[in-house]
Amino acid sequence: MRAMSRFEENKTNILSGIVVALALVPEAIAFAFVAHVPPLTGLYAAFILVLITSIMGGRPGMVSGASGTTAVVMVALVVTHGFEYLFAAVVLMGLLQIVFALAKLSKYARMIPHQVNLGFINGLAIVIFLAQLDHFKVPSANGAEHWMQGTQLYTMIVLVALTMLVIYLFLCLTKAFPAEDPHYHVADDKIS
């Protein structure tokens, strides 16, 4: 009985690792585009982050991949100061996280009201949406960018609508990959 349980645990871990790896590659590339860094940099960063998390250990629900919040914040840094400052900012961010963990400051995250978290997420969604609008622009003959027109624009709109439809209709087929959990609230998380 114990061997079967060990087998099931290993199978679950391997399958979840494969799913995360398959999801992490396009996510890392997408956030690299948002942050105005080369896609290969996003892949290297994602690999190193996951490697460190797996070696150091984590907890269920721990995010160990690319983050929309950091990608959006890093855009201004990269555009203003250049790609070189990104490395220093990420190292500083890691050191601050280690200090916060050693000081056990994560318990104070419970004091953040649900409305603040909701406002932050909605603001982030707006910023990411606005960053995606650049993909609806194409360069003209003189090098200036202009909005897509005609068939190219209609194709892009259909692809976006189809993607959104798949996300919401897939939830009707299975609960294994929910687009969103309506019963999840940030305040319900137990933060250690």
Side-chain angles (χ1 to χ4, degrees):
M1 183 70 179
R2 179 72 182 144
M4 187 60 169
S5 131
R6 182 97 167 145
F7 171 75
E8 289 294 324
E9 182 181 344
N10 287 339
K11 182 183 85 166
T12 302
N13 286 336
I14 290 170
L15 289 175
S16 65
I18 291 170
V19 168
V20 168
L22 291 174
L24 195 59
V25 169
E27 181 184 51
I29 292 172
F31 285 137
F33 281 126
V34 169
H36 293 277
V37 297
L40 197 55
T41 303
L43 289 172
Y44 283 141
F47 172 75
I48 290 170
L49 185 62
V50 171
L51 183 66
I52 290 171
T53 303
S54 65
I55 291 171
M56 301 297 287
R59 64 186 186 97
M62 183 175 183
V63 176
S64 59
S67 167
T69 52
T70 55
V72 170
V73 171
M74 296 300 176
V75 172
L77 178 71
V78 172
V79 170
T80 307
H81 299 289
F83 181 65
E84 297 77 23
Y85 280 79
L86 181 62
F87 179 73
V90 170
V91 169
L92 178 62
M93 181 175 59
L95 291 174
L96 287 174
Q97 287 178 341
I98 291 171
V99 169
F100 290 170
L102 292 175
K104 300 196 183 294
L105 296 177
S106 64
K107 61 187 171 193
Y108 295 111
R110 288 188 208 137
M111 296 173 65
I112 300 171
H114 179 66
Q115 292 79 6
V116 172
N117 285 330
L118 195 61
F120 174 74
I121 297 299
N122 286 331
L124 179 63
I126 291 169
V127 170
I128 290 176
F129 171 77
L130 293 175
Q132 297 305 310
L133 287 180
D134 286 340
H135 296 289
F136 283 86
K137 294 180 180 177
V138 291
S140 61
N142 62 1
E145 289 190 339
H146 63 86
W147 293 100
M148 291 179 179
Q149 295 176 352
T151 308
Q152 194 175 24
L153 176 64
Y154 301 138
T155 304
M156 189 72 139
I157 290 173
V158 166
L159 288 174
V160 169
L162 184 64
T163 302
M164 293 172 71
L165 191 66
V166 165
I167 290 170
Y168 288 108
L169 290 182
F170 199 66
L171 187 59
C172 298
L173 297 174
T174 179
K175 301 283 184 197
F177 306 107
E180 152 186 339
D181 185 357
H183 304 292
Y184 174 77
H185 296 286
V186 176
D188 295 340
D189 265 357
K190 291 183 180 177
I191 301 172
S192 56

